[in-house]
């Protein structure tokens, strides 16, 4: 087992494709596949499920990945420690987030963070569901995770607000063409939908919303990525429920608010609430993250992160 194999596994998971991972790593796809198979032989179980249009972690892969990320980070930190103090790279911030949050909410907060602490390096890992994030945080693979509230999490939690979902349709769809701003999901019950694969945390949100409206959505297509759902729905393949923050002004489709509203609560959680630079980033995220909804009170006040004010001199604290 080697760090290179762990890096290859992480790239495949992040890209959802052997082809894209090989391009990103500048290696041939056969060489990448060979290294992944060698890692799986060493572990003794398949780590990846190869599907026709994507690649996803097996249950063993989901259990293994957080430890691989933690090992890679520890190796990187060891290299930093071995360097002379004057050459030592600034210790940065490691963030994990759900796909839609990484694209739609975190960028303004990272921009503000970099503006305040320009020498700090930021690493962002993206995942499909909160359970993977919780495993990663527990294993020490990242400093903070941002997602829907994870189940069975006993560490510090900071409520950020509600992520609102909207219905995306083609611009010329009859429901959108009459200038309406709202639509009842039941009106779309007979249509095939653009839905999410089960490993995307929004799959359960959409299923619950449709169930509340009295129907089970029939799939036109399943997609792993939220941004792809926006484009497929805008192209007319079917309605999709997507986070409002994913919608660009010129995305080419129509968006309507579901009636009643559909949303999920977002939180930041960590195991190290007392580390000043982690707490400072969560403060920035709460104040500047692009959550287009009024923040709500935390349901776990005893676990709410303490707030810290830090100066640039303390932002390099060990993460």
């Amino acid at each position: 087992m080697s760090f290179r194999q762990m890096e290859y596994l992480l790239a495949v998971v992040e890209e959802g494709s052997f082809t894209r991972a090989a391009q990103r790593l500048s290696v041939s796809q056969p060489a990448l596949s060979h290294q992944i198979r060698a890692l799986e032989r060493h572990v003794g179980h398949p780590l990846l499920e190869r599907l026709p249009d994507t690649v996803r972690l097996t249950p063993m892969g989901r259990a293994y990945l957080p430890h691989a990320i933690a090992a890679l980070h520890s190796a990187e930190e060891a290299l930093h420690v071995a360097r002379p103090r004057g050459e030592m790279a600034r210790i940065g911030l490691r963030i994990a987030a759900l796909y839609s949050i990484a694209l739609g909410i975190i960028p303004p907060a990272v921009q503000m963070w970099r503006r305040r602490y320009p020498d700090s390096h930021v690493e962002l890992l993206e995942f499909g569901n909160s359970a993977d994030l919780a495993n990663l945080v527990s294993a020490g693979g990242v400093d903070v995770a941002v997602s829907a509230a994870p189940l069975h999490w006993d560490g510090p939690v900071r409520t950020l607000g509600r992520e609102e979902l909207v219905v995306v349709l083609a611009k010329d769809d009859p429901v959108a063409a009459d200038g309406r701003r709202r639509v009842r999901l039941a009106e779309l019950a007979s249509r095939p939908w653009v839905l999410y694969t089960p490993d995307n945390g929004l799959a359960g949100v959409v299923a619950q919303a449709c169930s509340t409206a009295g129907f089970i959505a029939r799939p036109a297509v399943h997609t792993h990525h939220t941004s792809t759902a926006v484009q497929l729905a805008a192209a007319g393949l079917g309605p999709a429920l997507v986070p409002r923050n994913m919608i660009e002004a010129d995305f080419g489709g129509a968006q309507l608010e579901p009636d009643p509203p559909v949303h999920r609560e977002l939180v930041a959680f960590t195991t190290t609430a007392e580390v000043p630079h982690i707490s400072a980033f969560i403060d920035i995220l709460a104040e500047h993250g692009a959550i287009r909804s009024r923040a709500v009170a935390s349901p776990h006040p005893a676990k709410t992160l303490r707030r810290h004010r830090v100066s640039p001199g303390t932002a390099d604290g060990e993460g």
Side-chain angles (χ1 to χ4, degrees), residues 202-256:
L202 284 171
V205 177
V206 175
Q208 180 61 52
C210 293
S211 177
T212 301
F215 69 98
I216 298 175
R218 177 166 53 95
V221 61
H222 284 94
T223 180
H224 187 65
H225 292 288
T226 316
S227 56
T228 305
V230 174
Q231 298 304 318
L232 292 174
L237 272 74
L241 272 170
V242 300
R244 185 189 300 274
N245 293 289
M246 294 292 298
I247 307 296
E248 300 288 344
D250 57 350
F251 79 108
Q255 60 171 310
L256 290 82

Side-chain angles (χ1 to χ4, degrees), residues 6-15 65 69 72 125 127:
M6 295 179 187
E7 290 174 342
Y8 285 5
L9 175 66
L10 178 59
V12 172
V13 171
E14 290 182 340
E15 297 295 337
L65 186 64
I69 294 173
L72 289 169
L125 302 177
F127 292 87

Side-chain angles (χ1 to χ4, degrees), residues 123-145:
E123 180 180 1
L124 177 60
L125 302 177
E126 301 169 59
F127 292 87
N129 61 70
S130 300
D132 290 341
L133 296 183
N135 292 337
L136 186 60
V137 175
S138 296
V142 294
D143 298 313
V144 60

Side-chain angles (χ1 to χ4, degrees), residues 12-146:
V12 172
V13 171
E14 290 182 340
E15 297 295 337
S17 162
F18 277 85
T19 301
R20 291 193 296 272
Q23 293 171 346
R24 167 177 146 185
L25 296 166
S26 300
V27 299
S28 69
Q29 186 171 333
L32 174 64
S33 298
H34 173 76
Q35 291 295 329
I36 296 296
R37 285 195 297 270
L39 177 60
E40 291 176 321
R41 285 195 300 271
H42 188 92
V43 173
H45 297 274
L47 300 175
L48 295 172
E49 183 179 1
R50 283 82 166 169
L51 301 174
D53 58 348
T54 189
V55 179
R56 65 187 181 195
L57 290 165
T58 64
M60 179 58 69
R62 292 176 63 178
Y64 176 83
L65 186 64
H67 300 282
I69 294 173
L72 289 169
H73 177 73
S74 295
E76 183 180 354
E77 292 298 296
L79 290 175
H80 291 332
V81 171
R83 295 171 184 166
R85 191 70 182 177
E87 300 176 10
M88 185 173 174
R90 299 278 186 171
I91 296 175
L93 184 69
R94 295 165 291 150
I95 310 165
L98 299 179
Y99 293 124
S100 62
I101 296 170
L103 286 172
I105 290 173
I106 286 184
V110 171
Q111 182 181 37
M112 179 61 68
W113 174 264
R114 291 281 299 154
R115 190 176 300 163
R116 294 185 184 180
Y117 314 114
D119 293 331
S120 176
H121 171 72
V122 176
E123 180 180 1
L124 177 60
L125 302 177
E126 301 169 59
F127 292 87
N129 61 70
S130 300
D132 290 341
L133 296 183
N135 292 337
L136 186 60
V137 175
S138 296
V142 294
D143 298 313
V144 60
V146 187

